[in-house]
Amino acid sequence: MTETTPARSVLRTGRPLDDAGDPTDGPALELAPDGRAATLLRESPRPLASSPGQGTWATLLERPEEGDTDRPVLVQWLAADASQPPPHTHPTTETFEAVTGELTVVRDGDTHVLAPGESVTVEPGTEHAFRNDTDGTVAFRARLPSMRTARALYSVWGMDHEGVFGSGPPGSDERYGEPGLLHGLLLAESLRGETTMTDAPLPVQRVLWATVGRVARIAGYRGVDERYLEDAFWERRVEQPDL
């Protein structure tokens, strides 16, 4: 008699890895193995990345230097308690499509709740932000303005894994966190001309970049770091799914 392996209803993956490569008790991503989000992850040429302190996971489906696409395409998962990015604008369009769960996109003050398969395009210069208002994990697909956006996101997530934003020892929840004022300032400066944060007037931001930002760089604070886009970094840091 041949035994069959029961189908998995939920796949638990994406936990932070310790120095030995073993999963820790950090935040985990739960996927329906036969769902669309899992299919996109399976098809992605890039490993799964994450930010435990911000409650997010992501993978790059496409990037400009590796195909016909002119802009990167990212699949991102937001936990129920995921951080919300500050309102901002871009000089190019940005498109959001819900994959699983309901994604909330605020565009020019109007709130759009996207069900799976629904999408919204943010026009150039339009203030917007996105968030997860549900009690579960939300997955969405986004066509980003440029690779500069991808580099900034991956830099934040990579620094989170290295404990830059936290204060606890490796493996503890206190190790992870979110960028503070100085890191946020340097990241905003690295994106100028492509992304403009709207929570402070641009002239004020320019003054801060030239003063506080300069002091932060001298003190060793980092903005964008290219090594966080390397596959090997994420394969060492994040539990990869068995799909």
Side-chain angles (χ1 to χ4, degrees), residues 192-212:
R192 64 169 143 184
E194 192 257 32
T195 298
T196 301
M197 304 302 171
T198 56
D199 49 0
L202 187 55
V204 173
Q205 294 184 56
R206 290 195 182 105
V207 171
L208 291 174
W209 293 334
T211 55
V212 179

Side-chain angles (χ1 to χ4, degrees), residues 52-139:
Q54 297 182 78
T56 190
W57 296 263
T59 185
L60 269 173
L61 290 181
E62 304 174 23
R63 51 188 298 181
E65 62 268 33
E66 296 178 343
D68 296 331
T69 184
D70 61 341
R71 287 188 289 163
V73 177
L74 186 79
V75 175
Q76 188 170 343
W77 288 262
L78 303 176
D81 57 352
S83 303
Q84 177 183 339
H88 56 279
T89 65
H90 305 296
T92 56
T93 62
E94 185 173 20
T95 301
F96 298 88
E97 179 197 354
V99 175
T100 59
E102 294 183 339
L103 176 69
T104 298
V105 178
V106 179
R107 180 180 62 176
D108 201 19
D110 294 329
T111 301
H112 304 265
V113 179
L114 306 180
E118 295 181 340
S119 64
V120 64
T121 295
V122 179
E123 297 300 328
T126 301
E127 182 182 82
H128 63 284
F130 58 87
R131 62 178 184 262
N132 178 5
D133 285 337
T134 75
D135 294 330
T137 300
V138 170

